[in-house]
Amino acid sequence: MLGIISKIVMYKSFRKINFPRLLPMNLTVSVTYKCNSRCKTCNVWKKRADELSLEEFDKTFKNLGTAPYWFTMSGGEPFLRKDIVEICESAYRNGKPGIINIPTNGLLYNLIPEKTAQIAKTCPKAQIIINLSLDEIGERHDEIRGAKNGFKKALKTYEELKKLDSPNLTLGIHTVISKFNVKRIPQIYEELTKLKPHSYITEIAEERIELDTVGSAITPSLEDYSRAVDFLSERMKEQNFSGISKTTQLFRLQYYSMVKKVLKKKRQIVPCYAGFASAHIAPDGDVWFCCIKADPIGNLKEVDYDFRKIWFSEKADIIRETIKRKECYCPMANASYTNMLCDLKTLSKVGWGVIA
């Protein structure tokens, strides 16, 4: 982590004067669009792609080297890839990342725990984070996620994951706050935290090109969202965190505050580092700066899996300029945490909170 902190100044320079030209430290890899859920907040399952093979991922990760510190292996449902263990192992072997994060709907309760144990074993020095997506309780969850007995299956997965004896495994619960559940966040929080996950995180439902949700009106109102996250913030403040958990808590509080400002002011609140410090690889090899716009700057298959050729291309530089001019804005959680890490104002607030 100290190495990442030392790079912040260089990423700020990259964004400001285009030098030094760096590869992303936060990389999301969508390994598939396939999904066994039919969520009201996501239509990614409708999309089709000529997915990158394990060999193609391996070539890409070799080219990226040790630049990415944080990998998110996303989907669709990432555990539908039969070679998800090997994909994670390739990212670890080639790049030695500190974190490999895998979100899952938890439906494959007979498979996910075993695969997770294998990933934790083959990537021993990386923190493996499994975030189980639970948007409601019982049948209400099943209705939002479009999966019969989905809540029961996810709980089976959760209980088996808790039994794993993997020191580098973190088990979290993730809730998408949408217009479908925003008014029940207090009840949802109280029930899900009884499971005692290592972390409980939320993300606001967004209209994304990646998820085919543009025009779906799934984002909650500012008023409803504010009430929900104000409740979550108060609950977090009541808990006595220390060490890295306290730092994580403080960043999460800053994220909730930032999202409210984005919804209200409809502009970038913290400078965006998508295209500088964070990026996204789609299942077919398209490289995006972010999944909200999902604007391809190139395809890995067309450059012999040389990520650098795409990342440092003329088209990439043109799109970077639009981001610097704040022509877009969004509250996407994954990119936002990278943005906050690169923002000195946010860092000072978090730092003060740590020592206070």
Side-chain angles (χ1 to χ4, degrees):
M1 180 59 76
L2 290 177
I4 293 299
I5 299 297
S6 68
K7 282 187 175 181
I8 289 175
V9 173
M10 291 192 288
Y11 277 111
K12 292 180 73 67
S13 178
F14 182 19
R15 191 179 189 279
K16 186 172 183 179
I17 63 173
N18 205 31
F19 181 84
R21 293 165 72 77
L22 305 170
L23 291 168
M25 64 176 174
N26 177 3
L27 184 64
T28 297
V29 182
S30 291
V31 297
T32 185
Y33 286 137
K34 296 183 180 73
C35 192
N36 46 359
S37 292
R38 297 293 182 264
C39 301
K40 290 184 176 180
T41 57
C42 177
N43 293 314
V44 74
W45 59 272
K46 294 180 179 180
K47 303 177 76 170
R48 297 291 181 268
D50 180 13
E51 297 175 355
L52 293 178
S53 67
L54 174 60
E55 181 182 4
E56 290 172 314
F57 275 124
D58 195 57
K59 290 179 180 179
T60 301
F61 296 150
K62 282 181 180 178
N63 183 261
L64 279 162
T66 58
Y69 177 82
W70 180 305
F71 274 93
T72 297
M73 299 299 182
S74 185
E77 169 51 49
F79 284 98
L80 286 175
R81 282 283 305 230
K82 294 181 180 180
D83 53 0
I84 185 62
V85 175
E86 290 76 14
I87 291 172
C88 292
E89 191 276 331
S90 174
Y92 179 79
R93 172 168 37 84
N94 287 296
K96 298 296 185 291
I99 296 171
I100 299 177
N101 174 50
I102 310 175
T104 176
N105 59 29
L107 296 180
L108 302 173
Y109 59 89
N110 288 325
L111 182 148
I112 293 172
E114 177 185 353
K115 295 288 186 181
T116 297
Q118 292 173 13
I119 292 169
K121 183 177 180 179
T122 56
C123 308
K125 294 184 179 181
Q127 191 66 34
I128 308 303
I129 303 174
I130 302 295
N131 272 319
L132 192 65
S133 297
L134 294 173
D135 290 348
E136 253 286 5
I137 307 301
E139 293 181 358
R140 286 190 175 101
H141 170 82
D142 298 352
E143 183 179 354
I144 292 176
R145 286 277 169 167
K148 187 176 181 180
N149 295 319
F151 189 75
K152 291 180 179 179
K153 292 177 180 177
L155 289 188
K156 285 185 180 180
T157 296
Y158 182 84
E159 291 302 322
E160 291 304 312
L161 287 170
K162 284 186 70 175
K163 296 176 184 178
L164 295 180
D165 184 22
S166 301
N168 59 330
L169 175 63
T170 295
L171 180 55
I173 292 178
H174 171 275
T175 296
V176 176
I177 301 180
S178 69
K179 70 176 185 180
F180 306 109
N181 64 359
V182 64
K183 294 182 179 180
R184 279 184 40 82
I185 289 302
Q187 296 93 326
I188 294 168
Y189 170 86
E190 298 295 352
E191 287 300 314
L192 293 182
T193 53
K194 289 178 182 177
L195 298 172
K196 298 183 178 180
H198 294 132
S199 67
Y200 176 75
I201 61 174
T202 70
E203 182 173 4
I204 190 168
E206 300 170 82
E207 297 185 17
R208 301 185 191 176
I209 291 177
E210 177 209 16
L211 304 181
D212 192 24
T213 53
V214 175
S216 60
I218 56 177
T219 304
S221 68
L222 171 60
E223 293 75 19
D224 286 342
Y225 180 78
S226 295
R227 281 192 290 269
V229 296
D230 286 348
F231 166 82
L232 294 173
S233 297
E234 288 304 313
R235 281 291 187 269
M236 289 174 62
K237 292 174 184 177
E238 293 171 2
Q239 299 181 51
N240 187 24
F241 290 105
S242 61
I244 189 65
S245 295
K246 184 173 183 179
T247 302
T248 302
Q249 173 211 32
L250 292 168
F251 269 110
R252 196 165 298 138
L253 290 171
Q254 291 297 316
Y255 169 71
Y256 290 150
S257 175
M258 185 204 69
V259 174
K260 289 194 293 183
K261 292 176 182 177
V262 169
L263 293 177
K264 182 177 181 179
K265 299 183 178 182
K266 300 186 184 304
R267 63 175 174 83
Q268 287 184 26
I269 302 301
V270 174
C272 183
Y273 280 78
F276 300 93
S278 61
H280 195 123
I281 297 176
D284 61 358
D286 277 349
V287 176
W288 307 329
F289 283 164
C290 78
C291 63
I292 300 296
K293 297 176 70 174
D295 186 7
I297 57 173
N299 188 284
L300 291 165
K301 296 177 181 179
E302 297 172 358
V303 293
D304 195 27
Y305 313 97
D306 189 341
F307 186 94
R308 296 164 190 260
K309 282 187 178 179
I310 297 174
W311 190 249
F312 298 125
S313 67
E314 182 178 351
K315 182 175 182 180
D317 287 337
I318 291 171
I319 299 177
R320 283 190 184 99
E321 288 301 314
T322 69
I323 296 172
K324 287 171 61 177
R325 291 194 297 267
K326 301 184 177 182
E327 294 181 11
C328 58
Y329 63 90
C330 76
M332 185 175 69
N334 194 313
S336 291
Y337 283 105
T338 303
N339 298 343
M340 291 189 294
L341 186 63
C342 293
D343 181 61
L344 294 181
K345 289 183 179 179
T346 303
L347 276 180
S348 63
K349 290 178 181 178
V350 171
W352 179 253
V354 169
I355 63 176

